[in-house]
Amino acid sequence: MHRRILTALLALTVSGCATTKPAEAPPSEAPTQQAPAPAQDAEAFRATPPTPGKPPELVLPTFEKAQLDNGLTVIVSTRKELPLVFVGIAFAAGVSQEPPAKLGIADLSYRMLLEGAGKRDTVALDNAFADLGVSPAMSVDPDGAFVGARVLTRNVDAAMSLLSDVVLRPTFDAKAFERRKKQQLGELVRRMGDPNFLAQQAYYQAVFGADHPYGHTSGGTPKTVESLTLADAKNFYLKNTGPRAAALIMTGDVTLPQAVEWAKKYFGGWKGGAVAPKPPPTPPVPPRQQVRIVPKPGLEQTVVLVGRPGLAAGHADEYPLELATTVFGGFFGSRLNMNIREDKGYSYGANAHLGTRLGVGPLTAYAAVRRDVTGPALNEFIKELAGIKTNPITEKELAAAREGLIRAFPGAFETVEGLGSSAAQLYFHRRPMDEFKRSVEGLRDASAAEVQRVAEAYLDPANMQVVLVGDPLVIQEQVTPLNLGKLTLVDPEAAPASK
C-alpha cells in the first residue's frame, strides 16, 4: 500500500517536470572576435634580476671611556635590550712582549689566571663561575690578552668579585702550572703537524724577521716551552700587568657610571708599576730574494702564503688599503678568488687580508692549492698582484668592496661578547672610542685615486715574500722556472729558535 502511494507520487513529480516549458534565453549579441595573445617566453624573467630591498640602516654601538685614579681604564658600551652584561679585563701586553728565549710565556702566564685565584683552586674557581651559569673565556693576542665572561645583570657583582680574584690574586699553583705546561706542549705537538700553522710560523719570520716582536706565532715552540718555569710565568705577569696597563671592559645592560663604581669597588686598590708597552718597531720591506719552503713530503696540497708588512692601526692609508686588499682577495668575487678558484679550479678558495695591529701588521694573501698546480697557482698570485697596476681597480669593483666591508660591521656587535671583544681591540690598538664610526666614514670617503695609489704602493709583487708548505720535490720542480728567488728550506722547529 505505502509502496503504491510512493510510486504514484514519484510518477506525478516526473510528469510535472517533463511538461514544464523552460524559459527562453534573451537574444544576445554575437561574441567579439579577439586577436590571440602573443606567446610569452617562460624564461624571460631571468633577464631581469630581482631588485634588492632597501638595506637596513647601519647602527653602530657607542663606546664610552673613563679612568680611575690608579690609572685603570674603564670602557663601556650600553645595550639594554636584554639583562646581560659582559665583564672582562683587557691587558695591554701580549705575545709581542715575550723575551726571545721564553717564547710561549704569554700564553702560559695568562692562562694560569684561571687555574686558581684567591682561596679557590682550579676546580673551585671553575665551579664558582659555573654557579653563575658561565664559563670564563681567555684569549692571548700579539698586542694583548683578554679574560671575561657574560653574566645575567643580577650576577654582575658576583662576577666582578670572581674577576678581581682572577686578576689581583692568582695563585700560580705549582701543580697547576705543570699541568697547564703539559697541555701547552701537547697542543704544540698537534700544531706542528698542521701545514697551515707551519706556513704561518715561517711566514711571520719571513715578513717581520726572527728578531722582531711580531716575528713568531703565539704559544712558543716545544723547545722554548719545555724550559719555562713557574717563576717565569709569575715574573711575566707581574712585570706586564697593572692598573695603568689594563682596562675593565663592560658591555650590555650597564652604564658608564655603574661600571666606574664597580671598578672602584673591586679594582680601585690595584697597584703596580707596569705601563702599556710601546708599539713594536716598523719592520723593513726588502725586495723578495728567496722563496721559503717548509717541507712536508707527500702532502696532497701546497699551502701558499704571499705577503709583506702592511701598516699599523690608525695609519692614513688604512681605509684605502683595506678597500684595495678586498678587491684583490678579500671576498668571494675578488680578483684572486675568481682566478684561482672559479676560473682555474686550483683551490677551494683564495683570500687576502690586511691585519692591522698596534704596530705594523701583516698584509697577506693565502690559498691551499692542489700540489700538481703549485707552480701555476703561485704564478697566478704574482700575475694578479702585478695586474693591480696594469689593470686598475674599476668603480664596480670598488663599490662592491666598499659595500661588503661596511655591511659587515654589525656582525661584530651582535652579542655583548662581540661588543666586549671590539672594545678590547680599541684598547689594544689605542684607538679613539668613535673608531668604528671613523672606519665607516673612511671606507665611504676613500676615492678611487687613493685606493689605486695604495694598491700600487703596497701590492707590488717584488716586495712580497713567499712561503710554501708542501712536497719539496714537487715545489722545486714547479716553482724553480718562475725565477721568484732562491728556494730555501725552512726547519719549522729550528727557525723560531734562531731568534
Side-chain angles (χ1 to χ4, degrees):
M1 177 67 177
H2 291 292
R3 175 180 289 183
R4 286 199 298 270
I5 294 174
L6 181 58
T7 301
L9 289 173
L10 288 173
L12 181 61
T13 303
V14 171
S15 174
C17 292
T19 57
T20 303
K21 184 178 180 180
E24 295 183 3
S28 60
E29 298 180 1
T32 303
Q33 295 293 327
Q34 296 183 356
Q40 294 184 353
D41 183 358
E43 299 296 314
F45 74 94
R46 299 185 186 279
T48 306
T51 303
K54 184 179 180 181
E57 182 181 356
L58 177 63
V59 178
L60 298 174
T62 299
F63 293 91
E64 301 175 278
K65 183 171 73 171
Q67 192 169 56
L68 301 191
D69 291 341
N70 65 354
L72 179 68
T73 299
V74 180
I75 301 177
V76 170
S77 183
T78 302
R79 177 179 289 174
K80 292 285 190 177
E81 293 93 335
L82 295 172
L84 296 172
V85 179
F86 181 86
V87 297
I89 290 288
F91 302 98
V95 175
S96 62
Q97 299 304 307
E98 293 178 334
K102 300 185 184 300
L103 301 184
I105 192 60
D107 268 81
L108 190 52
S109 181
Y110 282 124
R111 295 188 190 281
M112 281 298 297
L113 301 185
L114 298 178
E115 296 289 347
K119 298 180 179 179
R120 300 178 178 88
D121 62 11
T122 304
V123 175
L125 181 61
D126 189 63
N127 287 339
F129 278 108
D131 288 342
L132 301 180
V134 302
S135 180
M138 168 72 74
S139 63
V140 184
D141 301 321
D143 293 322
F146 192 32
V147 60
R150 179 191 66 183
V151 297
L152 292 170
T153 304
R154 66 172 181 265
N155 292 331
V156 171
D157 199 73
M160 288 290 291
S161 178
L162 288 174
L163 188 63
S164 65
D165 272 348
V166 165
V167 173
L168 305 182
R169 293 171 285 277
T171 58
F172 282 95
D173 177 74
K175 290 183 178 180
F177 172 80
E178 291 301 324
R179 181 179 65 252
R180 171 57 66 180
K181 178 177 171 178
K182 288 181 180 179
Q183 290 175 347
Q184 189 157 325
L185 284 169
E187 174 63 14
L188 283 171
V189 170
R190 184 195 69 78
R191 292 167 72 184
M192 295 302 285
D194 181 356
N196 292 299
F197 172 74
L198 296 177
Q200 185 182 55
Q201 188 180 56
Y203 173 72
Y204 284 151
Q205 185 185 3
V207 168
F208 295 106
D211 296 324
H212 193 275
Y214 289 157
H216 62 281
T217 56
S218 66
T221 69
K223 182 178 179 180
T224 58
V225 173
E226 186 65 53
S227 67
L228 298 178
T229 66
L230 179 61
D232 292 330
K234 288 181 178 179
N235 290 338
F236 180 88
Y237 186 72
L238 292 174
K239 177 183 177 182
N240 291 285
T241 64
R244 291 186 293 166
L248 171 65
I249 308 290
M250 300 190 73
T251 59
D253 187 18
V254 62
T255 64
L256 182 61
Q258 289 174 323
V260 168
E261 287 305 310
W262 269 311
K264 291 178 179 178
K265 178 179 179 181
Y266 289 105
F267 294 98
W270 190 8
K271 298 178 181 179
V275 296
K278 295 180 180 179
T282 299
V285 187
R288 181 185 60 258
Q289 296 180 337
Q290 58 182 319
V291 174
R292 291 169 173 83
I293 302 170
V294 182
K296 290 286 286 185
L299 197 65
E300 291 299 322
Q301 289 184 315
T302 300
V303 178
V304 180
L305 275 175
V306 177
R308 53 158 286 171
L311 43 76
H315 192 283
D317 288 341
E318 180 178 358
Y319 307 128
L321 186 55
E322 186 74 46
L323 288 163
T325 305
T326 302
V327 170
F328 169 68
F331 69 117
F332 185 86
S334 67
R335 292 185 178 187
L336 185 64
N337 191 64
M338 295 303 287
N339 181 341
I340 298 294
R341 174 192 160 108
E342 294 298 290
D343 183 42
K344 304 297 191 305
Y346 292 162
S347 172
Y348 285 117
N351 60 71
H353 174 65
L354 176 63
T356 53
R357 297 180 178 179
L358 175 63
V360 172
L363 173 58
T364 311
Y366 163 88
V369 304
R370 302 195 325 263
R371 73 173 185 172
D372 62 305
V373 295
T374 298
L378 179 56
N379 191 48
E380 293 304 318
F381 269 75
I382 302 302
K383 285 173 60 177
E384 288 295 345
L385 287 165
I388 289 290
K389 186 173 183 178
T390 59
N391 181 22
I393 294 171
T394 66
E395 287 290 349
K396 183 178 180 180
E397 289 177 313
L398 182 55
R402 201 189 311 268
E403 180 181 32
L405 288 171
I406 292 175
R407 289 196 180 188
F409 269 86
F413 313 128
E414 290 179 335
T415 64
V416 292
E417 299 98 313
L419 281 172
S421 179
S422 298
Q425 293 300 315
L426 294 179
Y427 179 70
F428 293 156
H429 298 160
R430 325 277 168 83
R431 304 307 300 147
M433 294 297 100
D434 63 346
E435 173 67 4
F436 297 108
K437 178 175 179 290
R438 290 170 179 245
S439 298
V440 170
E441 292 173 349
L443 293 170
R444 282 177 176 163
D445 297 342
S447 68
E450 287 179 296
V451 174
Q452 185 63 32
R453 174 184 61 80
V454 300
E456 294 183 16
Y458 289 88
L459 298 178
D460 183 351
N463 296 328
M464 290 287 189
Q465 305 303 318
V466 176
V467 172
L468 304 173
V469 180
D471 191 304
L473 296 180
V474 172
I475 293 174
Q476 182 179 20
E477 179 183 359
Q478 297 188 28
V479 176
T480 299
L482 301 180
N483 296 317
L484 298 177
K486 179 183 177 181
L487 303 188
T488 306
L489 291 179
V490 175
D491 184 338
E493 294 199 31
S498 68
K499 184 175 176 182

